[in-house]
Amino acid sequence: SKDLLAAENTMQKFYDLPKFGNVSFLHFTDSHAQLQPIYYREPSVNIGLGASLNKAPHLVGDAFLKEYKMKSNSMQAYAFTALDYAESAQRFGKVGGFSHLATLIKRLKADRPHALVLDGGDTWQGSATSLWTKGQDMIDASLLLGVDMMTAHWEFTYGMDRVQEAVDGLKGKINFLAQNVETSDFGDPVFEPYTIREINGVQVAVIGQAFPYTPIANPRYMVSDWTFGIQDQKLQETVDEVRGKGVAVVIVLSHNGMDVDLKLASKVTGIDAILGGHTHDGVPEPVIVSNAKGKTLVTNAGSNGKYLGVLDLNVDKGGVKDFRYKLLPVFSNFLDPDPQMEKLIHSVREPYLDKLNEKLAVTNELLYRRGNFNGSFDQLIVDALLQEKGAQIAFSPGFRWGTTLLPGQAITMEDVMNQTAITYPGTTLNEMSGDTIKTVLEDVADNLFNTDPYYQQGGDMVRVGGLSYTIDPNQSMGNRISNMTLNDKPLEAGKLYKVAGWASVQESSEQGEPIWELVSRYLKDKKVIGDIQLNTPQIKGIENNQGLM
Amino acid sequence: AEAQWNKELFEATDNEGVFKALGANTPENSEKVKLVAPDIAENGAVVPIALSTDLENVTMMAFLIPENPNTMTGMFTIPEGTEANIATRVKMAKTSDIFGLVKAGDKYYLAHKEVKVTLGGCGG
Amino acid sequence: MATRPMRIRAKESGGVVSVKVLMAHVMETGQRKDSEGKIVPAWHITNVKATCNDKEVLSAQWGPAISRDPYLAFSFKGAKKGDKIEITWIDTKKETRSDTAEIK
Ligand SMILES: [Mn+2]
Ligand SMILES: [Mn+2]
């Protein structure tokens, strides 16, 4: 159509980013193993409190468009917000895909042959093929993509042995960097903390920061010999050490999450830019943070292969003089697939195609996950848990990965795996007291809404089926949740309820049925998904919050 | 000689009880006392903590966790020539402030930091 | 109790010896119940002593909230590479163990 042709012409210019400076970084993060183009709806709820109130990354919808001067109904609005999502997705098509990302990287590298390609982690997990190959499909794709350095989070859920084996295999090809991972006995480093490269005669250091709360957000037994943590003092020592070696540029490749990075940038000095991930915030412009000795750029490059961050620096002997940054959405329809990558992806998927393509049901609704509270795909999962387990209440973790399906699309086994592909998928049915249920909700709420980012873990609120509640995010730990009711009756503190769930971080001798089997059985039984009743809490005290559409 | 173990000190259930057992006047909060502990504990059974100070004439350093059944966790005697810099790992029953107590000269000084003990799960 | 040896690392640099010790001990709190619901009695290290060249360089009194298989790190001046450091602990059952390591 005329519309699309016009768009295509604009896109040619859009991807022709003028060359700038002498040092460049191409940064993607949190692809969650999405090798193929997908839909991914950005959140309509991403509440910021305290110092984060109404500031990036806690802006959604129209407030986001206004902040970054984007037009309604534009491709930019489609990429960065949840506004009119289903309609815009029909118009502009899918995003991401490693073949399209590869083309974009090649195109940018034509002008910037010196550019380093940085992977912020959460790359080896999130799809069926990544789970079934223990991340090997993504490792091969990353090598072909020309990734220079990476850090990690969900990678660790394949266990210490697999990570060590994979990292050994990457030696000399991709630097696996993590200054904040140590052995739990004597605190020795497990991985390279940083690497130094010379780019156009400039010494550049990239320091890795793995997800600090890996042993808390994910099963600790999978990384039992290692400890993590933010370790900002050690980071300061590392920055000082590389500055002492005469580097002119210091970049931290971080999986802290954007709010943690913003606080860290105000405390640790000597960092030029923190290229961040984990919280899946697609933020078009860096936030410039001042600290005792200078300024640090803080970025976050979204998720699911949707974006590529381009940071161009003009550097001389005295350091960084000027910069340009652009977070480019990867519109799959406007970038030709790279044939080599296409071939690799095809060969990875080939052995599993029958299973991946198995049609389980059709959805009449938009199915998405991301947002501080419930998403429709999570509602489907808790509905399935309630029914299949005969439970009164169901919990599903507030993961931020998981792709989106448009109304009318078939739900395949691959789609179910895109929501559930983890190494601890067991479903559970437990008796929990009203008291314990409140404790669980309070605990997760504090991980999300504590006003000190260092106490946040960067996930969303646990998804709840069956139970209604009210939340006041501004309150303190233990005082946010009230009004818990089940079938209109107040939850009793001492009474036991049947609670279903999955993805327990506790080590258990019995492995419950994997969540994807339970959900696919439910879907086959339903055949058509429609009329999803989204169970979201009553939210108090957020009247003027721009993190809410 | 048999090592001594101060029973009254280890039976105290709050900071006041510990100060009393030590015969310490109310300690003064000091920025010169540095307590390093994680913001969130990876494992409540193994929480790494470290205490250091550049105060002079330090003879004793200790860790206090008032939310534990007993507040006094460990007390260290620092002889001449040993640095005022100690690290260990402790158990925490629940979210609590950890206090680092230092005796320098005949005065006591204090620093504290909250360590959150969480159920875990979820993630981005 | 057949106790396992401690793991001790002692390194000298710039006149300061940094010591890291891992001890093997259950550090039972006396508050935990076993599978039959009976209280497991307290059993923990109460005292630790470190000596180097016949001089005490650290001593400590511990309660049961020090983690299982305790970790201790400290540093001192006045010793050189090749000197020996000795660590001794005693527990609530009056069992005791000493191990030595050479300063590297
Ligand atoms: Mn992550
Ligand atoms: Mn992620």
Side-chain angles (χ1 to χ4, degrees):
Chain A
S1 74
K2 221 170 121 187
D3 204 24
L4 271 182
L5 274 175
E8 197 152 12
N9 283 329
T10 319
M11 290 321 288
Q12 292 300 326
K13 277 187 218 143
F14 181 74
Y15 287 125
D16 278 334
L17 216 53
K19 189 184 170 209
F20 178 83
N22 50 347
V23 173
S24 297
F25 302 93
L26 307 178
H27 172 233
F28 72 93
T29 191
D30 296 82
S31 74
H32 286 282
Q34 295 304 321
L35 283 173
Q36 296 202 297
I38 45 89
Y39 296 109
Y40 183 83
R41 176 190 179 274
E42 298 297 332
S44 50
V45 185
N46 190 15
I47 293 169
L49 302 170
S52 311
L53 176 69
N54 297 343
K55 289 201 184 113
H58 298 281
L59 298 169
V60 299
D62 289 319
F64 187 102
L65 296 186
K66 196 169 165 231
E67 173 77 11
Y68 296 108
K69 299 179 182 67
M70 292 178 182
K71 287 193 191 118
S72 303
N73 298 311
S74 64
M75 287 184 80
Q76 296 274 20
Y78 163 58
F80 287 99
T81 73
L83 293 163
D84 305 312
Y85 187 78
E87 296 76 22
S88 299
Q90 301 282 8
R91 257 175 87 198
F92 299 121
K94 292 184 174 178
V95 293
F98 266 55
S99 312
H100 306 272
L101 185 61
T103 299
L104 180 56
I105 287 176
K106 280 184 181 167
R107 189 166 175 160
L108 292 160
K109 272 198 159 188
D111 280 348
R112 307 162 173 76
H114 54 267
L116 292 176
V117 180
L118 306 184
D119 166 7
D122 281 358
T123 306
W124 303 353
Q125 175 276 342
S127 71
T129 53
S130 65
L131 183 71
W132 296 334
T133 64
K134 296 189 172 69
Q136 195 58 47
D137 62 335
M138 298 311 298
I139 292 171
D140 294 340
S142 300
L143 288 166
L144 187 57
L145 198 62
V147 169
D148 292 288
M149 294 139 198
M150 70 177 293
T151 192
H153 166 203
W154 276 92
E155 285 73 9
F156 295 114
T157 61
Y158 291 110
M160 294 182 290
D161 291 346
R162 172 60 182 145
V163 172
Q164 208 85 70
E165 172 197 65
V167 171
D168 287 346
L170 292 176
K171 286 233 164 80
K173 297 167 191 156
I174 298 177
N175 296 92
F176 189 101
L177 306 173
Q179 73 89 20
N180 60 329
V181 183
E182 298 173 344
T183 60
S184 43
D185 55 3
F186 284 120
D188 297 324
V190 179
F191 306 104
E192 278 181 290
Y194 63 84
T195 183
I196 295 177
R197 297 281 177 93
E198 193 180 297
I199 303 174
N200 288 330
V202 177
Q203 295 283 107
V204 173
V206 178
I207 303 171
Q209 174 84 356
F211 178 49
Y213 295 133
T214 300
I216 301 166
N218 304 100
R220 189 175 64 237
Y221 63 85
M222 291 175 167
V223 286
S224 54
D225 294 349
W226 299 341
T227 71
F228 293 65
I230 297 172
Q231 311 233 27
D232 47 14
Q233 295 185 353
K234 206 169 143 245
L235 179 61
Q236 183 68 70
E237 288 163 22
T238 307
V239 173
D240 295 346
E241 182 185 324
V242 295
R243 287 283 182 197
K245 290 182 175 182
V247 308
V249 179
V250 176
I251 301 291
V252 175
L253 177 61
S254 163
H255 203 94
N256 279 332
M258 185 145 189
D259 294 308
V260 174
D261 282 335
L262 289 169
K263 178 175 171 182
L264 184 132
S266 73
K267 294 179 76 185
V268 179
T269 59
I271 301 169
D272 293 301
I274 302 177
L275 302 180
H278 181 60
T279 36
H280 295 198
D281 302 307
V283 183
E285 293 169 13
V287 176
I288 302 174
V289 179
S290 295
N291 56 49
K293 290 189 182 162
K295 288 184 164 66
T296 301
L297 305 176
V298 177
T299 72
N300 208 271
S303 69
N304 286 273
K306 243 183 118 168
Y307 309 96
L308 182 69
V310 184
L311 178 65
D312 292 327
L313 301 176
N314 186 13
V315 188
D316 68 14
K317 280 232 170 69
V320 176
K321 294 296 150 207
D322 198 2
F323 77 92
R324 297 284 183 276
Y325 181 79
K326 188 105 183 163
L327 187 62
L328 291 172
V330 180
F331 294 112
S332 319
N333 289 349
F334 300 104
L335 289 160
D336 292 329
D338 176 76
Q340 261 181 296
M341 188 64 85
E342 199 71 348
K343 207 175 139 199
L344 172 71
I345 294 171
H346 179 80
S347 73
V348 163
R349 296 172 57 80
E350 194 10 84
Y352 307 110
L353 277 179
D354 287 351
K355 213 167 164 187
L356 294 171
N357 292 336
E358 189 191 353
K359 275 189 194 169
L360 304 169
V362 169
T363 180
N364 290 332
E365 302 211 14
L366 180 70
L367 294 179
Y368 64 94
R369 171 174 277 163
R370 182 70 229 279
N372 282 167
F373 300 102
N374 214 346
S376 49
F377 218 130
D378 282 323
Q379 187 64 49
L380 194 160
I381 290 172
V382 292
D383 287 347
L385 278 165
L386 287 172
Q387 179 175 313
E388 300 292 314
K389 291 278 187 189
Q392 296 167 283
I393 296 169
F395 285 149
S396 186
F399 295 141
R400 291 189 173 192
W401 44 273
T403 56
T404 301
L405 293 180
L406 304 185
Q409 275 191 283
I411 308 173
T412 63
M413 192 63 197
E414 177 162 36
D415 298 322
V416 171
M417 294 306 287
N418 280 341
Q419 306 289 328
T420 58
I422 64 172
T423 53
Y424 47 106
T427 51
T428 54
L429 183 63
N430 292 306
E431 294 215 306
M432 288 169 91
S433 69
D435 245 353
T436 307
I437 292 165
K438 177 159 194 296
T439 305
V440 169
L441 293 179
E442 290 283 2
D443 193 81
V444 186
D446 196 61
N447 288 335
L448 183 57
F449 295 120
N450 194 308
T451 50
D452 183 343
Y454 279 22
Y455 291 94
Q456 297 171 5
Q457 286 170 32
D460 282 312
M461 189 67 191
V462 60
R463 279 50 174 140
V464 181
L467 178 77
S468 305
Y469 66 97
T470 300
I471 184 164
D472 185 345
N474 287 294
Q475 298 303 313
S476 59
M477 172 80 175
N479 301 303
R480 291 187 179 92
I481 309 293
S482 60
N483 245 339
M484 295 191 298
T485 61
L486 186 63
N487 304 322
D488 299 322
K489 276 191 231 136
L491 210 68
E492 292 172 45
K495 197 175 157 184
L496 292 176
Y497 299 90
K498 279 195 274 180
V499 183
W502 66 287
S504 167
V505 294
Q506 308 303 327
E507 192 160 19
S508 162
S509 48
E510 302 154 58
Q511 269 304 320
E513 181 187 27
I515 184 70
W516 50 77
E517 283 175 20
L518 183 149
V519 171
S520 62
R521 188 168 64 245
Y522 174 86
L523 286 170
K524 278 191 225 167
D525 181 49
K526 281 262 177 189
K527 295 186 182 71
V528 177
I529 296 300
D531 197 29
I532 284 183
Q533 300 299 311
L534 204 58
N535 179 31
T536 51
Q538 194 90 38
I539 313 169
K540 281 187 2 194
I542 37 85
E543 285 73 24
N544 297 311
N545 200 300
Q546 294 175 3
L548 201 74
M549 253 164 66
Chain B
E2 175 108 333
Q4 46 162 282
W5 194 71
N6 185 340
K7 197 160 176 285
E8 189 199 343
L9 179 64
F10 283 96
E11 282 176 354
T13 54
D14 56 17
N15 284 0
E16 302 313 312
V18 166
F19 303 153
K20 191 167 163 264
L22 287 172
N25 297 326
T26 307
E28 186 182 302
N29 286 313
S30 171
E31 288 195 353
K32 288 184 174 174
V33 178
K34 301 256 184 289
L35 179 70
V36 180
D39 301 287
I40 308 180
E42 287 179 5
N43 177 358
V46 192
V47 182
I49 53 177
L51 184 62
S52 64
T53 180
D54 44 22
L55 288 164
E56 301 280 319
N57 301 317
V58 173
T59 52
M60 190 279 298
M61 303 179 91
F63 296 104
L64 283 58
I65 308 176
E67 295 293 329
N68 273 357
N70 301 103
T71 299
M72 173 52 76
T73 306
M75 185 174 77
F76 301 82
T77 303
I78 313 292
E80 181 86 48
T82 293
E83 303 200 321
N85 187 354
I86 293 286
T88 185
R89 295 170 187 157
V90 299
K91 298 169 198 165
M92 293 183 71
K94 56 182 162 187
T95 298
S96 173
D97 263 333
I98 293 187
F99 290 83
L101 180 68
V102 168
K103 187 181 185 190
D106 53 6
K107 288 187 79 177
Y108 288 85
Y109 301 88
L110 210 54
H112 68 97
K113 176 168 187 352
E114 189 186 39
V115 176
K116 185 165 135 180
V117 179
T118 162
L119 303 170
C122 298
Chain C
M1 177 173 68
T3 56
R4 281 178 288 133
M6 290 178 231
R7 293 171 62 195
I8 305 172
R9 270 196 204 171
K11 277 186 194 158
E12 186 272 339
S13 171
V16 177
V17 180
S18 301
V19 186
K20 290 179 179 180
V21 190
L22 276 166
M23 308 167 199
H25 201 287
V26 291
M27 298 300 284
E28 198 57 66
T29 59
Q31 274 132 12
R32 194 173 63 89
K33 284 177 182 161
D34 66 14
S35 52
E36 286 159 30
K38 277 193 231 149
I39 294 272
V40 181
W43 180 19
H44 62 86
I45 292 174
T46 54
N47 296 83
V48 179
K49 190 174 72 175
T51 54
C52 184
N53 301 331
D54 296 327
K55 181 185 181 291
E56 188 168 298
V57 290
L58 190 79
S59 68
Q61 296 181 41
W62 283 358
I66 297 290
S67 299
R68 182 195 177 100
D69 295 337
Y71 174 79
L72 169 65
F74 65 99
S75 50
F76 66 97
K77 288 174 186 155
K80 58 185 187 305
K81 287 184 172 68
D83 288 352
K84 295 238 163 48
I85 179 149
E86 184 180 44
I87 314 280
T88 303
W89 56 250
I90 181 165
D91 69 16
T92 44
K93 293 184 180 175
K94 302 295 170 203
E95 287 180 36
T96 182
R97 173 165 191 111
S98 293
D99 289 283
T100 57
E102 190 184 302
I103 297 170
K104 299 261 160 88

